[in-house]
Each structure stands twice: as C-alpha cells, then as structure tokens.
Amino acid sequence: MKTKTPAHAHSYLLTNVLSSDYVDMTGDGLTDDDLGSFTKFNYTLRTSKYSWRTPYSSTQARFNEGVKSDCHDDKATFVSGVKEIWELHSIETKNYVAEFYTSPRVDGKGASSTSTTDGASNVPLHKLDKIVLYNKQDRLDNGSSASPIKEILFTYDYSLCKDVPNVFQTGSSNPPGKLTLKGISIRNGKSDIGLLTPYKFEYNTS
C-alpha cells in the first residue's frame, strides 16, 4: 500500500525585513535609492531533487508488529520523498553585505532512489565555512579586492555518531560520523589576533 502526497511548501524563506518608514521610491523593489532601511536575504537553489528516506537504507523499513496474538498483521513501513535545498548566500542592507561561503559535507548524502524519488540524485548537503562582512560600496567597487570588515570562521570534524549510513566515505579504518562543530573564530579586518582566542565546543560522546 502506498500513499503519495502532492508537492507542497513545507517551509518559507524570509526574503526581507523593512523598517516602519521604508518607501520604495521607484517601484523596483529593494534598492539603495529607497527611503528608510531594509534587510534583504538572498538564496541559492542548491538542488531541486534532494532525496530523503526514513529509514535511510533502501533495504530497510520500520517494523510494526501489530497485535501479538495475530501473526498475519505484521507490517513494515518507510517514508521517502524529494525536496528542494535552498541556501542563504548573502544578506544586504544599504551599507553592508554579509556573504556566506559553503562547501560539501561528507555526511548528509541523499538517499538512494525509491519509487517516490524519481530522478533524484544523492547529492551532498553543504556546511557553512565562513561569513564575511563587507562595506557594500567597497564590495561593489572593488569586487574580490574589497577589504572584509569581519570574518567568522567555522571549524568542523566528523567525530560524533560514527558509522552513520549517509556518508560518502565508506570502508575506511576511521569512518566519518555526523558533522560536528568544533570551533568558531573571528577575524576583524586584516588582524588575526581574534584567531588566537576561538570559541571551542566539546561534546559528551557517551
């Protein structure tokens, strides 16, 4: 027996926040010539067909024993589907722009194809590597030569929950686990002093 749910929106992306005195002067959306202030959120579609499945393995399902006295009502079920993955790539105001840099994760691998994930691929999810804050005009004028005001750097490993099934590296002597945030460092301008005192995180591995 199969139940298929039509495509639908399961969550919504915040696109902008406007001040109470904001006025769109020319009717062309959020631009720097408008009155008042705004915060604009820009997204990138990472993939339109990320497949997911619970349980993850295509050879497994969740067992439902039913009534113990009836050996003929046992069932096994799984849930699977396809979803879009959107990533925040920048946040803009009139004076500043914060850019988000990501890279593929070792875990977070999409599920294998099933009857409900037609055309989906096991593309990886991405992790946030750093956030870089620029003066907006400097970034527009100088491009890659612009000087960052601040950088926030994220350090990870895969030390928790070893042997999870949704990883790209299998069969190694030290298999990866789930993405684990280990530290956050802050660089102010061109000074590396802030990198000497990062925020560090520890986890109870039991």
mmCIF file of all heavy atoms in Angstrom, residues 46-69:
data_model
loop_
_atom_site.group_PDB
_atom_site.id
_atom_site.type_symbol
_atom_site.label_atom_id
_atom_site.label_comp_id
_atom_site.label_asym_id
_atom_site.label_seq_id
_atom_site.Cartn_x
_atom_site.Cartn_y
_atom_site.Cartn_z
ATOM 1 N N ARG A 46 20.385 25.006 -4.220
ATOM 2 C CA ARG A 46 21.489 24.047 -4.307
ATOM 3 C C ARG A 46 21.095 22.849 -5.175
ATOM 4 O O ARG A 46 21.844 22.396 -6.013
ATOM 5 C CB ARG A 46 21.869 23.586 -2.899
ATOM 6 C CG ARG A 46 22.965 22.534 -2.840
ATOM 7 C CD ARG A 46 24.248 23.022 -3.455
ATOM 8 N NE ARG A 46 24.743 24.221 -2.792
ATOM 9 C CZ ARG A 46 25.759 24.941 -3.238
ATOM 10 N NH1 ARG A 46 26.369 24.604 -4.362
ATOM 11 N NH2 ARG A 46 26.153 26.013 -2.581
ATOM 12 N N THR A 47 19.906 22.333 -4.966
ATOM 13 C CA THR A 47 19.396 21.249 -5.805
ATOM 14 C C THR A 47 17.880 21.227 -5.704
ATOM 15 O O THR A 47 17.314 21.573 -4.661
ATOM 16 C CB THR A 47 19.957 19.878 -5.387
ATOM 17 O OG1 THR A 47 19.364 18.862 -6.197
ATOM 18 C CG2 THR A 47 19.648 19.570 -3.935
ATOM 19 N N SER A 48 17.223 20.857 -6.784
ATOM 20 C CA SER A 48 15.763 20.763 -6.783
ATOM 21 C C SER A 48 15.295 19.338 -6.515
ATOM 22 O O SER A 48 14.096 19.092 -6.415
ATOM 23 C CB SER A 48 15.203 21.247 -8.128
ATOM 24 O OG SER A 48 15.683 20.438 -9.185
ATOM 25 N N LYS A 49 16.222 18.394 -6.403
ATOM 26 C CA LYS A 49 15.848 16.991 -6.234
ATOM 27 C C LYS A 49 16.758 16.305 -5.212
ATOM 28 O O LYS A 49 17.541 15.419 -5.546
ATOM 29 C CB LYS A 49 15.903 16.258 -7.577
ATOM 30 C CG LYS A 49 14.797 16.646 -8.541
ATOM 31 C CD LYS A 49 14.841 15.805 -9.800
ATOM 32 C CE LYS A 49 13.699 16.123 -10.743
ATOM 33 N NZ LYS A 49 12.393 15.764 -10.163
ATOM 34 N N TYR A 50 16.663 16.747 -3.960
ATOM 35 C CA TYR A 50 17.382 16.055 -2.886
ATOM 36 C C TYR A 50 16.466 14.981 -2.315
ATOM 37 O O TYR A 50 15.367 15.273 -1.833
ATOM 38 C CB TYR A 50 17.796 17.036 -1.790
ATOM 39 C CG TYR A 50 18.541 16.385 -0.651
ATOM 40 C CD1 TYR A 50 19.901 16.121 -0.761
ATOM 41 C CD2 TYR A 50 17.878 16.024 0.517
ATOM 42 C CE1 TYR A 50 20.590 15.515 0.277
ATOM 43 C CE2 TYR A 50 18.568 15.416 1.556
ATOM 44 C CZ TYR A 50 19.921 15.163 1.431
ATOM 45 O OH TYR A 50 20.609 14.560 2.452
ATOM 46 N N SER A 51 16.899 13.740 -2.378
ATOM 47 C CA SER A 51 16.054 12.632 -1.925
ATOM 48 C C SER A 51 16.333 12.292 -0.468
ATOM 49 O O SER A 51 17.475 12.303 -0.028
ATOM 50 C CB SER A 51 16.268 11.404 -2.817
ATOM 51 O OG SER A 51 17.622 10.976 -2.759
ATOM 52 N N TRP A 52 15.289 11.996 0.256
ATOM 53 C CA TRP A 52 15.405 11.611 1.661
ATOM 54 C C TRP A 52 14.555 10.366 1.908
ATOM 55 O O TRP A 52 13.609 10.072 1.169
ATOM 56 C CB TRP A 52 14.964 12.743 2.582
ATOM 57 C CG TRP A 52 13.567 13.245 2.304
ATOM 58 C CD1 TRP A 52 13.204 14.229 1.437
ATOM 59 C CD2 TRP A 52 12.354 12.762 2.900
ATOM 60 N NE1 TRP A 52 11.840 14.404 1.443
ATOM 61 C CE2 TRP A 52 11.298 13.505 2.338
ATOM 62 C CE3 TRP A 52 12.057 11.779 3.835
ATOM 63 C CZ2 TRP A 52 9.965 13.296 2.693
ATOM 64 C CZ3 TRP A 52 10.722 11.562 4.188
ATOM 65 C CH2 TRP A 52 9.705 12.326 3.622
ATOM 66 N N ARG A 53 14.918 9.624 2.941
ATOM 67 C CA ARG A 53 14.211 8.377 3.236
ATOM 68 C C ARG A 53 14.387 8.029 4.698
ATOM 69 O O ARG A 53 15.465 8.220 5.262
ATOM 70 C CB ARG A 53 14.764 7.244 2.374
ATOM 71 C CG ARG A 53 13.942 5.954 2.383
ATOM 72 C CD ARG A 53 14.636 4.897 1.540
ATOM 73 N NE ARG A 53 13.806 3.741 1.272
ATOM 74 C CZ ARG A 53 13.604 2.731 2.119
ATOM 75 N NH1 ARG A 53 14.201 2.752 3.306
ATOM 76 N NH2 ARG A 53 12.822 1.720 1.794
ATOM 77 N N THR A 54 13.328 7.536 5.339
ATOM 78 C CA THR A 54 13.384 7.072 6.722
ATOM 79 C C THR A 54 12.745 5.692 6.797
ATOM 80 O O THR A 54 11.564 5.551 6.495
ATOM 81 C CB THR A 54 12.620 8.024 7.661
ATOM 82 O OG1 THR A 54 13.138 9.343 7.533
ATOM 83 C CG2 THR A 54 12.754 7.583 9.102
ATOM 84 N N PRO A 55 13.512 4.636 7.155
ATOM 85 C CA PRO A 55 14.952 4.603 7.417
ATOM 86 C C PRO A 55 15.753 4.940 6.153
ATOM 87 O O PRO A 55 15.244 4.833 5.047
ATOM 88 C CB PRO A 55 15.203 3.168 7.854
ATOM 89 C CG PRO A 55 13.865 2.570 8.134
ATOM 90 C CD PRO A 55 12.903 3.303 7.292
ATOM 91 N N TYR A 56 17.033 5.284 6.356
ATOM 92 C CA TYR A 56 17.849 5.754 5.238
ATOM 93 C C TYR A 56 18.116 4.662 4.209
ATOM 94 O O TYR A 56 18.037 4.899 3.002
ATOM 95 C CB TYR A 56 19.171 6.303 5.772
ATOM 96 C CG TYR A 56 20.121 6.746 4.686
ATOM 97 C CD1 TYR A 56 19.957 7.983 4.071
ATOM 98 C CD2 TYR A 56 21.174 5.929 4.275
ATOM 99 C CE1 TYR A 56 20.815 8.389 3.061
ATOM 100 C CE2 TYR A 56 22.031 6.328 3.278
ATOM 101 C CZ TYR A 56 21.843 7.562 2.672
ATOM 102 O OH TYR A 56 22.689 7.956 1.666
ATOM 103 N N SER A 57 18.429 3.451 4.660
ATOM 104 C CA SER A 57 18.800 2.377 3.743
ATOM 105 C C SER A 57 17.602 1.936 2.902
ATOM 106 O O SER A 57 16.486 1.780 3.405
ATOM 107 C CB SER A 57 19.344 1.182 4.529
ATOM 108 O OG SER A 57 19.554 0.081 3.669
ATOM 109 N N SER A 58 17.848 1.719 1.617
ATOM 110 C CA SER A 58 16.780 1.292 0.705
ATOM 111 C C SER A 58 16.354 -0.146 0.944
ATOM 112 O O SER A 58 15.374 -0.615 0.355
ATOM 113 C CB SER A 58 17.236 1.454 -0.742
ATOM 114 O OG SER A 58 18.384 0.664 -0.994
ATOM 115 N N THR A 59 17.081 -0.885 1.797
ATOM 116 C CA THR A 59 16.741 -2.282 2.095
ATOM 117 C C THR A 59 16.086 -2.436 3.456
ATOM 118 O O THR A 59 15.880 -3.564 3.915
ATOM 119 C CB THR A 59 18.003 -3.160 2.043
ATOM 120 O OG1 THR A 59 18.928 -2.711 3.051
ATOM 121 C CG2 THR A 59 18.666 -3.077 0.674
ATOM 122 N N GLN A 60 15.758 -1.319 4.118
ATOM 123 C CA GLN A 60 15.200 -1.384 5.459
ATOM 124 C C GLN A 60 13.853 -0.679 5.534
ATOM 125 O O GLN A 60 13.529 0.174 4.709
ATOM 126 C CB GLN A 60 16.153 -0.748 6.477
ATOM 127 C CG GLN A 60 17.461 -1.504 6.649
ATOM 128 C CD GLN A 60 18.357 -0.843 7.676
ATOM 129 O OE1 GLN A 60 18.138 0.284 8.078
ATOM 130 N NE2 GLN A 60 19.376 -1.571 8.126
ATOM 131 N N ALA A 61 13.076 -1.071 6.541
ATOM 132 C CA ALA A 61 11.805 -0.417 6.847
ATOM 133 C C ALA A 61 11.568 -0.550 8.350
ATOM 134 O O ALA A 61 12.222 -1.356 9.025
ATOM 135 C CB ALA A 61 10.658 -1.053 6.061
ATOM 136 N N ARG A 62 10.638 0.234 8.879
ATOM 137 C CA ARG A 62 10.334 0.184 10.305
ATOM 138 C C ARG A 62 9.261 -0.896 10.556
ATOM 139 O O ARG A 62 8.215 -0.899 9.923
ATOM 140 C CB ARG A 62 9.849 1.545 10.794
ATOM 141 C CG ARG A 62 10.901 2.626 10.682
ATOM 142 C CD ARG A 62 10.546 3.841 11.519
ATOM 143 N NE ARG A 62 11.519 4.890 11.378
ATOM 144 C CZ ARG A 62 12.696 4.942 11.994
ATOM 145 N NH1 ARG A 62 13.035 3.952 12.795
ATOM 146 N NH2 ARG A 62 13.521 5.947 11.818
ATOM 147 N N PHE A 63 9.561 -1.770 11.497
ATOM 148 C CA PHE A 63 8.679 -2.903 11.774
ATOM 149 C C PHE A 63 7.555 -2.500 12.718
ATOM 150 O O PHE A 63 7.772 -1.853 13.735
ATOM 151 C CB PHE A 63 9.503 -4.047 12.384
ATOM 152 C CG PHE A 63 8.683 -5.245 12.767
ATOM 153 C CD1 PHE A 63 7.912 -5.892 11.815
ATOM 154 C CD2 PHE A 63 8.683 -5.720 14.068
ATOM 155 C CE1 PHE A 63 7.149 -7.000 12.155
ATOM 156 C CE2 PHE A 63 7.934 -6.821 14.417
ATOM 157 C CZ PHE A 63 7.168 -7.469 13.460
ATOM 158 N N ASN A 64 6.334 -2.869 12.365
ATOM 159 C CA ASN A 64 5.162 -2.639 13.206
ATOM 160 C C ASN A 64 4.514 -3.996 13.461
ATOM 161 O O ASN A 64 3.878 -4.575 12.569
ATOM 162 C CB ASN A 64 4.184 -1.688 12.509
ATOM 163 C CG ASN A 64 2.976 -1.362 13.366
ATOM 164 O OD1 ASN A 64 2.804 -1.908 14.444
ATOM 165 N ND2 ASN A 64 2.128 -0.477 12.870
ATOM 166 N N GLU A 65 4.693 -4.513 14.657
ATOM 167 C CA GLU A 65 4.278 -5.881 14.962
ATOM 168 C C GLU A 65 2.766 -6.060 14.947
ATOM 169 O O GLU A 65 2.257 -7.121 14.587
ATOM 170 C CB GLU A 65 4.842 -6.287 16.321
ATOM 171 C CG GLU A 65 4.557 -7.734 16.688
ATOM 172 C CD GLU A 65 5.155 -8.116 18.025
ATOM 173 O OE1 GLU A 65 5.493 -7.204 18.815
ATOM 174 O OE2 GLU A 65 5.293 -9.320 18.284
ATOM 175 N N GLY A 66 2.032 -5.017 15.317
ATOM 176 C CA GLY A 66 0.581 -5.155 15.387
ATOM 177 C C GLY A 66 0.160 -5.920 16.631
ATOM 178 O O GLY A 66 0.821 -5.883 17.676
ATOM 179 N N VAL A 67 -0.923 -6.676 16.513
ATOM 180 C CA VAL A 67 -1.435 -7.459 17.641
ATOM 181 C C VAL A 67 -0.569 -8.698 17.827
ATOM 182 O O VAL A 67 -0.333 -9.458 16.879
ATOM 183 C CB VAL A 67 -2.904 -7.858 17.394
ATOM 184 C CG1 VAL A 67 -3.438 -8.685 18.570
ATOM 185 C CG2 VAL A 67 -3.769 -6.617 17.203
ATOM 186 N N LYS A 68 -0.094 -8.928 19.044
ATOM 187 C CA LYS A 68 0.825 -10.041 19.293
ATOM 188 C C LYS A 68 0.182 -11.401 19.024
ATOM 189 O O LYS A 68 0.856 -12.362 18.655
ATOM 190 C CB LYS A 68 1.349 -9.983 20.730
ATOM 191 C CG LYS A 68 2.334 -8.842 20.973
ATOM 192 C CD LYS A 68 2.889 -8.921 22.380
ATOM 193 C CE LYS A 68 3.914 -7.834 22.640
ATOM 194 N NZ LYS A 68 5.130 -8.025 21.812
ATOM 195 N N SER A 69 -1.123 -11.512 19.219
ATOM 196 C CA SER A 69 -1.789 -12.795 19.033
ATOM 197 C C SER A 69 -2.113 -13.088 17.565
ATOM 198 O O SER A 69 -2.583 -14.180 17.251
ATOM 199 C CB SER A 69 -3.083 -12.834 19.853
ATOM 200 O OG SER A 69 -3.964 -11.796 19.447
#
